Amino acid sequence: MAAAAEEAAGSGGGGSPSSARRRLRIISGHLRSSPRAPEREALSLSPCKAQGASTGPASGSIPKKRQELLKWNGWGYNDSKFIFNKKGQAEFTGKRYRLGGMVLPTFKEWMEKTFGASLDHKTTSRATLNVNDVPPSLVKEEFLQDLRAAKISYSQDAEDRVFRAHGHCLHEIFILREGMFKRVPDIVVWPVCHEDVVKIVELACKHNLCIIPFGGGTSVSSALECPEEEKRTIVSLDTSQMNRILWIDEKNLTACVEAGIVGQDLENQLAESGFCTGHEPDSMEFSSLGGWVATRASGMKKTIYGNIEDMVIHIKMVTPRGIVEKNCQVPRMSTGPDIHHFIMGSEGTLGVVTEVTIKIRPVPEYQKYGSVVFPNFERGVACLREVAKQRCAPASIRLVDNAQFQFGHALKPQVASIFTSFLDGLKKFYITKFKGFDPNILCVATLLFEGDREKVLQHEKQVYDIATKFGGLAAGEDNGQRGYMLTFVIAYLRDLGLDYYVIGESFETSVPWDRVLDLCRNVKERIVRECKEKGVQFAPLSTCRVTQTYDAGACVYFYFAFNYRGISDPIHVYEQIERAAREEILANGGSLSHHHGVGKLRKRWMKESISDVGLGMLRSVKEYVDPNNIFGNKNLL
């Protein structure tokens, strides 16, 4: 592999190291390093130094020991969660989110009414991780000696290994609460730069090991689960310490960034220099740049900033065959099939993404939220279609159906004053009594506008004018902002549900405009029907929202949940229902996934999705790049 890597750096990289340095000198006039990376190092091709040196990892939001900050068997931060207090009222703990410390007076009633749940019926789950339940670490001493010689940080600690044995699928979290995985990584390694990754992959090839790359751990496709039948030592390659911005190019508005940086740190560091990427997936607090590339991610503000494939200029990836990268950083090339599209969406099956050059933009001057209430979902979808047709969509526009509107309303915190309560009542009276909207049918779109203040205000008027034509009423900035911010806390609700026999999950698809309504209706009805047939005793929550919009279609995001009391194997029942829902999506002209990826969870439908020949093409790439299956997570193929 070393020879292959050297060859790739020389020829695949577009010439000798000296010619590469010449190119760097030419462009260095308008490059500047991040405040977190010294300028000389940022423009150098020399290997990075040992951890703790000036080129070591930046101080990130997520520590190397994830258990110091994050839950071991649930979503997010240890200090942030939904609970029922001593008065039986729901509240959200911690101070990290705007909802923190607030009481949600109607949530308990909504939960009881929607799921038939009761605070009297509570499940029991393990409070702490029992390290004795964790499969032992099986690593040969020769590999450990090589890691020490290469000065690569590693751990065989049970907690470290379990934290990197899973993503956040329902069944993965359920296993953590009730039992333990049959297979977990044997060792975790922490490279601090591209050259460290090269060394680790070389050692894996030398010792015939299996590598599973780990970024932010937010996968919802079973992508991080270790194959139970894997007999080789499994190495979790955690990229979290590769978290620096190497340089910022202010003239071309690009930045070269190490792939392990998480979304919140990327945006915060860029903001120090007056820039942003605008890429905001729901998981941006915890998900990594490399993970976005590996799964072909999409963000809430994709209308302005694009999906990840629209933002990427250059990718560097280490494979068992060598290093893959283009010889220049340009907006477009006509040099055969784009190798970036072999890397994006490869889900850790080909190698490790180490550095990414992405587009950046100045931080927007002005930001404004908004919301529109529609008499029904059909009118709302028609409005979004017209907005897309006129190509005037704001940074974010998301339409929730009535069930999701009711769900969001249940998460509304207790009002602080009588006056605020009076205003809320007045708005409700105006919409339901004066305008005649049925509260059990109406739906709401949340909006976010960004950019130059004058243009934002013009853009806002254009969108609201279109909404009016479809019966929409402006519903205020507060509702828009609250709806947008709820995105980051909704994931915490699943943990609360599991405490009271309620299991739930989300899944998504993309669909042509003329199939949106049929698909939404049919999938929700299929979920209800399947629950009844599978013996679920209580009616499920089956709801959707239309999120990212395109000229030719939209992304539709579903939530479904049900009370599993009385069911002996709830995860098996859940998986049967989800499988039926996915079949319904495909039958209605939807895609296998819009942005969550395939992993192991959805790969049974890959042949149907991309054809037998298409799947064969992907296998051929895998066989060439990784003939010994070093990257053996078994995703996609």
Side-chain angles (χ1 to χ4, degrees), residues 509-511 515-524 556 558 584-586 588-591:
T509 184
S510 51
V511 61
R515 302 296 303 157
V516 169
L517 290 174
D518 287 344
L519 183 141
C520 291
R521 181 187 63 252
N522 292 343
V523 171
K524 289 190 290 185
V556 178
F558 291 91
E584 191 69 31
I585 284 173
L586 296 174
N588 281 269
S591 67

Side-chain angles (χ1 to χ4, degrees), residues 543-599:
T543 176
C544 71
R545 68 174 182 255
V546 179
T547 58
Q548 294 92 324
T549 60
Y550 300 83
D551 290 349
C555 169
V556 178
Y557 203 97
F558 291 91
Y559 288 118
F560 92 92
F562 60 86
N563 185 333
Y564 69 87
R565 275 174 49 217
I567 298 176
S568 60
D569 190 352
I571 295 302
H572 177 66
V573 170
Y574 159 77
E575 288 175 342
Q576 287 182 309
I577 296 168
E578 186 194 38
R579 194 173 305 154
R582 181 61 56 184
E583 294 280 6
E584 191 69 31
I585 284 173
L586 296 174
N588 281 269
S591 67
L592 184 56
S593 175
H594 173 263
H595 59 270
H596 281 172
V598 176

Side-chain angles (χ1 to χ4, degrees), residues 416-464:
S417 69
I418 296 174
F419 180 69
T420 303
S421 178
F422 172 75
L423 285 180
D424 286 345
L426 196 62
K427 291 174 187 174
K428 183 176 180 181
F429 175 82
Y430 175 76
I431 290 171
T432 60
K433 303 299 182 183
F434 187 74
K435 298 299 291 186
F437 283 26
D438 186 337
N440 297 310
I441 297 177
L442 64 79
C443 68
V444 175
T446 58
L447 313 170
L448 171 60
F449 300 88
E450 285 188 355
D452 172 85
R453 187 177 188 279
E454 186 177 340
K455 290 181 179 177
V456 162
L457 296 177
Q458 291 173 352
H459 194 184
E460 180 187 41
K461 182 180 183 305
Q462 185 180 6
V463 171
Y464 280 114

Side-chain angles (χ1 to χ4, degrees), residues 574-626:
Y574 159 77
E575 288 175 342
Q576 287 182 309
I577 296 168
E578 186 194 38
R579 194 173 305 154
R582 181 61 56 184
E583 294 280 6
E584 191 69 31
I585 284 173
L586 296 174
N588 281 269
S591 67
L592 184 56
S593 175
H594 173 263
H595 59 270
H596 281 172
V598 176
K600 291 178 271 290
L601 189 64
R602 289 176 275 274
K603 71 177 184 177
R604 73 178 69 215
W605 293 287
M606 275 293 283
K607 183 188 292 188
E608 178 183 347
S609 296
I610 65 171
S611 80
D612 193 20
V613 174
L615 193 60
M617 292 169 69
L618 296 184
R619 287 193 176 117
S620 295
V621 173
K622 167 71 174 175
E623 288 167 7
Y624 174 77
V625 171
D626 187 15

Side-chain angles (χ1 to χ4, degrees), residues 199-408:
K199 293 175 188 175
I200 292 166
V201 175
E202 286 177 344
L203 292 177
C205 293
K206 173 184 175 181
H207 295 282
N208 189 28
L209 312 178
C210 173
I211 294 177
I212 298 181
F214 183 94
T218 59
S219 163
V220 286
S221 64
S222 302
L224 291 170
E225 283 189 76
C226 299
E228 291 181 13
E229 66 276 14
E230 180 58 73
K231 302 301 181 185
R232 299 173 295 177
T233 293
I234 296 180
V235 179
S236 175
L237 192 156
D238 186 329
T239 62
S240 63
Q241 304 307 293
M242 298 169 55
N243 59 1
R244 297 171 300 157
I245 296 176
L246 300 179
W247 50 254
I248 293 172
D249 180 341
E250 293 186 344
K251 289 189 177 179
N252 292 313
L253 288 179
T254 56
C256 182
V257 187
E258 290 179 316
I261 195 168
V262 297
Q264 60 173 318
D265 290 341
L266 175 59
E267 292 304 298
N268 290 337
Q269 289 183 37
L270 283 174
E272 291 176 14
S273 300
F275 297 103
C276 69
T277 68
H279 188 71
E280 292 188 8
D282 295 2
S283 61
M284 72 168 292
E285 296 168 279
F286 311 109
S287 58
S288 69
L289 173 59
W292 300 344
V293 170
T295 57
R296 291 180 63 87
S298 179
M300 292 184 283
K301 300 192 293 190
K302 83 96 203 161
T303 310
I304 289 180
Y305 301 99
N307 294 316
I308 194 66
E309 66 269 21
D310 305 308
M311 301 170 61
V312 167
I313 297 294
H314 187 267
I315 302 172
K316 184 184 287 187
M317 183 171 78
V318 180
T319 77
R321 182 73 71 170
I323 299 166
V324 182
E325 63 177 325
K326 296 180 182 179
N327 74 327
C328 56
Q329 307 211 15
V330 294
R332 190 175 188 274
M333 297 170 67
S334 179
T335 50
D338 191 339
I339 60 168
H340 284 171
H341 289 285
F342 289 111
I343 298 171
M344 289 189 285
S346 58
E347 300 190 10
T349 60
L350 303 179
V352 182
V353 174
T354 58
E355 296 174 11
V356 185
T357 301
I358 51 173
K359 299 176 186 177
I360 58 175
R361 298 201 191 184
V363 173
E365 167 197 330
Y366 188 66
Q367 191 177 69
K368 190 173 184 183
Y369 293 91
S371 60
V372 181
V373 59
F374 294 96
N376 54 52
F377 192 64
E378 290 77 10
R379 294 277 193 94
V381 170
C383 176
L384 264 63
R385 174 66 188 108
E386 185 61 27
V387 168
K389 188 184 295 184
Q390 294 192 26
R391 294 193 172 183
C392 62
S396 173
I397 180 168
R398 300 190 295 174
L399 178 77
V400 301
D401 68 5
N402 184 263
Q404 203 162 138
F405 163 74
Q406 304 284 357
F407 176 32

